[in-house]
Amino acid sequence: NPKAQDWSLFPNPLYSHILPKRLTTIIFSVFLDDILQVLYGQKTFTAARGSSVTLSCKARYDFELCGLVHVVWHNGTGKSTELTDPRKYFTTVNETVTEGNIRHRQVVTEILNLTPEDNGRYQCKAECETGETAQGHFVQVTVRRGMVVIKQALDCT
């Protein structure tokens, strides 16, 4: 894995005019993926009013290049807001260290007591203390009227 100081692995800016722009973009993109990634399955949730849904994502990051990382689910409908209110959201975090400096942080957020206001799109976002960011795709939550309680979980493995 390249480190931030290993610029010899990347095209020399003096010669970048002879490299295709797409190749330079791909090289830079691979480098950023080595620093921080957000991973989870694509899913649509449909649940009854008053029930809950569980959102789960995993951030894979290089601690040496990223430093401390902030990973949280956001409500992406309208202005993006973090799901942090403990009266509405129950979040657990688990982190493991694998090869070298690579860490995997799993963030599981349960949206409690669903109401029609919880309809919308949700997205997991991560940010390194060094400023790099990553985010996953949107997942959709639809709240149905009715007395049947359906609980669904999103597995990020």
Side-chain angles (χ1 to χ4, degrees):
N1 287 343
K3 302 297 181 220
Q5 63 273 18
D6 292 339
W7 292 110
S8 63
L9 299 173
F10 299 95
N12 185 326
L14 297 175
Y15 302 108
S16 63
H17 64 281
I18 61 173
L19 287 173
K21 183 174 181 165
R22 179 163 161 63
L23 177 61
T24 305
T25 303
I26 290 170
I27 291 170
F28 189 65
S29 176
V30 169
F31 176 66
L32 287 180
D33 283 349
D34 285 345
I35 297 174
L36 178 64
Q37 294 176 309
V38 173
L39 309 164
Y40 54 96
Q42 193 162 6
K43 179 112 179 169
T44 298
F45 296 92
T46 302
R49 183 180 187 149
S51 68
S52 64
V53 294
T54 302
L55 308 174
S56 178
C57 70
K58 186 183 293 183
R60 178 193 176 279
Y61 67 102
D62 185 319
F63 181 73
E64 187 176 305
L65 299 176
C66 189
L68 298 176
V69 66
H70 178 68
V71 184
V72 66
W73 279 93
H74 288 247
N75 182 333
T77 305
K79 182 183 177 208
S80 180
T81 55
E82 294 185 358
L83 307 184
T84 57
D85 182 350
R87 296 167 297 184
K88 182 65 179 170
Y89 309 105
F90 181 73
T91 298
T92 57
V93 179
N94 182 33
E95 184 160 306
T96 56
V97 179
T98 58
E99 69 280 353
N101 295 313
I102 303 302
R103 296 184 180 196
H104 298 265
R105 179 173 294 179
Q106 183 177 18
V107 176
V108 178
T109 298
E110 183 176 6
I111 305 174
L112 307 169
N113 192 24
L114 289 169
T115 66
E117 289 76 30
D118 296 313
N119 281 312
R121 301 180 332 159
Y122 294 83
Q123 183 178 46
C124 185
K125 297 181 180 182
E127 182 175 2
C128 298
E129 70 179 342
T130 55
E132 290 83 8
T133 61
Q135 57 195 29
H137 51 270
F138 286 101
V139 295
Q140 182 69 38
V141 173
T142 303
V143 180
R144 291 189 315 183
R145 294 182 184 195
M147 300 303 289
V148 178
V149 175
I150 302 169
K151 184 174 180 175
Q152 300 177 8
L154 175 65
D155 186 9
C156 70
T157 55

